[in-house]
Amino acid sequence: MLIVLPGSDTASPLTELHWVQSRDGLHPSQQGQDPVSLLPPETDVVLAVPAPLLSWHWVTLPATGSARVRQVLDGLLEDLLLADPATLHLALQPGLVPGQAGWICACDKAWLTGWLDVLQAAGRRLVRIVPEVAPNALHHHGLWSALGQAWRVDTGPRGVCCTPVQRDDDAATPQQAPACAPAPSTDMPPWTAEPALTALAERLSGQAATVQTPGQRLLAASQSAWDLAQFELRQSASIRQGQRLLQGMRALAFGPAWRAVRLGLLASVAVTTLGLVAAAWQAQRQIDGQTQRIRQLLTQTFPAVTLVLDAPLQMQREVERLQRANGVAGPADLETFLMDFSASALSNVGVSALIFENGTVTLTLPPGSEAGQTDVVAGLQQRGWQVQQQAAVLTVRRAPSTPAAPVGGRP
């Protein structure tokens, strides 16, 4: 997020802006003072309006339709404003609805639209317009530079008052608050000042002042609920929804109020990850144990096998070898095929020629046996044989299958 504050009462691409860039909206990552062409490469920009260029008015908004709010405001503020209401841009306090009393912020429309044009021409997308400072429930005094000079800014529940301050020695003495300043409270309102104006602020207030950089002041302004982009400057609904979503995500990721939620989510992710790692480790141990038992069963049952590469396949081959050595027909032997063929040839299908080689049987059926070929093929396939048919020639071999567990042990 990039927040910019014009340093002049004229809108120009050559005018320098105070700027601050922040990743979380709470702490500055970098800040400076440059014209718009030299700003950091950030597309989305928040424009802060200098406090001396704003005026604040407390009014009760009459009950009226939303389309007539601006006209009603012109009538209410006509006697309070020092300029023609048509030349001013007005904005309502956040959440203010007809029938309620609240603050109305006024700003020179030509100055504001001029800066909007400058930012747009520079390829910057404006996401919010915020006041540099707004009325607050607590009293506060500040001393900072704006528009080329030093200003005393007093804020409180009665509004915002900006008074220029001279930096010479005669003016740098304690003095009475300006007539437009909010009424003082019983306690000592805090003072903040820019680093170069801290000593002057302490002489004016008679108390210690907190140092506040322009970047910190701009970040505080961006956290305000105010958005001056209203009426003719109202942004599209999609931009405003995206802005609110971005603010919500930033608050969830970095906001102090969501710290407990973030810690809970991190703890939940950590516990879940550790659980998955432990379950995977336990499953892998079980697999390794079963593999080791199968290897031991193979080497114990067939001591001649010294190198174990594929234990189930090697065990199947050793069993078949023992069966052949003891005169027991294996599943791919010719005797087994002949028994399965006899059981499949339901129509007494004869055989013209039979060739058995390396577990593959080439079978030639006599002419006129087409009616029984279907039964032969289906029967052989049901008994675990692969059959390729070409006219009256059948090529038959044992279909590969997962070997069963060897007798005498469990994997």
Side-chain angles (χ1 to χ4, degrees):
M1 178 174 61
L2 182 66
I3 311 167
V4 298
L5 175 72
S8 172
D9 56 358
T10 59
S12 169
L14 302 179
T15 301
E16 289 192 340
L17 301 96
H18 295 280
W19 59 268
V20 60
Q21 193 174 30
S22 174
R23 184 174 65 92
D24 57 5
L26 300 174
H27 306 90
S29 56
Q30 56 179 340
Q31 53 186 315
Q33 186 173 353
D34 295 288
V36 66
S37 59
L38 299 179
L39 292 177
E42 184 85 30
T43 304
D44 295 342
V45 173
V46 176
L47 174 64
V49 181
L53 297 183
L54 298 174
S55 62
W56 302 88
H57 310 277
W58 182 266
V59 300
T60 299
L61 192 63
T64 183
S66 58
R68 291 180 45 84
V69 172
R70 177 56 202 248
Q71 299 177 2
V72 171
L73 288 179
D74 290 347
L76 289 175
L77 301 176
E78 186 175 3
D79 296 333
L80 301 176
L81 298 172
L82 300 179
D84 183 1
T87 64
L88 299 177
H89 173 69
L90 304 179
L92 303 176
Q93 177 180 334
L96 184 62
V97 297
Q100 294 182 351
W103 289 104
I104 305 298
C105 180
C107 173
D108 183 76
K109 183 187 298 184
W111 179 90
L112 185 57
T113 55
W115 273 110
L116 298 184
D117 294 339
V118 170
L119 292 173
Q120 183 178 6
R124 309 287 177 152
R125 186 168 69 101
L126 190 68
V127 296
R128 281 183 73 197
I129 305 175
V130 298
E132 186 180 18
V133 65
N136 197 293
L138 300 177
H139 294 279
H140 180 268
H141 306 301
L143 192 66
W144 61 69
S145 299
L147 308 179
Q149 66 180 84
W151 293 81
R152 170 177 173 171
V153 181
D154 301 276
T155 62
R158 296 178 58 184
V160 179
C161 177
C162 299
T163 307
V165 175
Q166 300 296 327
R167 302 194 190 193
D168 54 58
D169 294 336
D170 293 336
T173 56
Q175 60 184 26
Q176 186 177 2
C180 64
S185 58
T186 55
D187 58 352
M188 294 291 290
W191 276 74
T192 59
E194 292 182 358
L197 300 175
T198 304
L200 178 58
E202 292 178 347
R203 288 195 293 269
L204 289 175
S205 62
Q207 66 182 62
T210 302
V211 177
Q212 185 184 51
T213 65
Q216 293 172 331
R217 190 170 71 249
L218 291 180
L219 284 177
S222 69
Q223 297 169 17
S224 167
W226 278 87
D227 187 357
L228 305 185
Q230 302 181 26
F231 300 113
E232 65 273 14
L233 298 183
R234 183 182 299 275
Q235 297 171 339
S236 66
S238 59
I239 295 179
R240 299 178 69 88
Q241 290 175 359
Q243 172 193 340
R244 287 194 294 267
L245 179 60
L246 182 61
Q247 291 176 347
M249 294 176 60
R250 185 179 292 115
L252 179 61
F254 304 103
W258 292 91
R259 186 171 184 271
V261 176
R262 292 195 297 271
L263 292 178
L265 290 175
L266 288 176
S268 177
V269 171
V271 171
T272 303
T273 303
L274 290 176
L276 292 175
V277 171
W281 176 77
Q282 184 176 6
Q284 186 62 43
R285 286 196 61 185
Q286 293 176 351
I287 294 174
D288 293 342
Q290 291 178 352
T291 303
Q292 185 62 28
R293 287 192 293 272
I294 293 175
R295 289 173 176 267
Q296 292 177 355
L297 179 62
L298 173 61
T299 55
Q300 291 173 2
T301 306
F302 304 102
V305 178
T306 58
L307 179 61
V308 180
L309 298 177
D310 188 342
L313 179 60
Q314 288 175 283
M315 187 173 296
Q316 180 184 8
R317 289 177 177 174
E318 290 297 324
V319 170
E320 293 176 354
R321 184 179 63 80
L322 288 177
Q323 290 175 339
R324 286 194 297 271
N326 291 276
V328 178
D333 288 343
L334 179 60
E335 293 84 349
T336 304
F337 168 75
L338 292 176
M339 289 188 294
D340 291 341
F341 175 79
S342 299
S344 303
L346 302 180
S347 302
N348 295 322
V349 177
V351 176
S352 298
L354 187 149
I355 301 174
F356 178 79
E357 184 178 4
N358 296 329
T360 301
V361 179
T362 304
L363 193 67
T364 304
L365 302 180
S369 61
E370 291 81 2
Q373 291 181 12
T374 303
D375 295 335
V376 172
V377 173
L380 291 175
Q381 289 176 344
Q382 291 177 358
R383 289 166 174 79
W385 296 89
Q386 287 182 340
V387 181
Q388 295 180 353
Q389 182 177 6
Q390 185 174 5
V393 179
L394 304 180
T395 303
V396 185
R397 61 176 57 87
R398 175 61 70 178
S401 60
T402 302
V407 178
R410 297 180 59 187

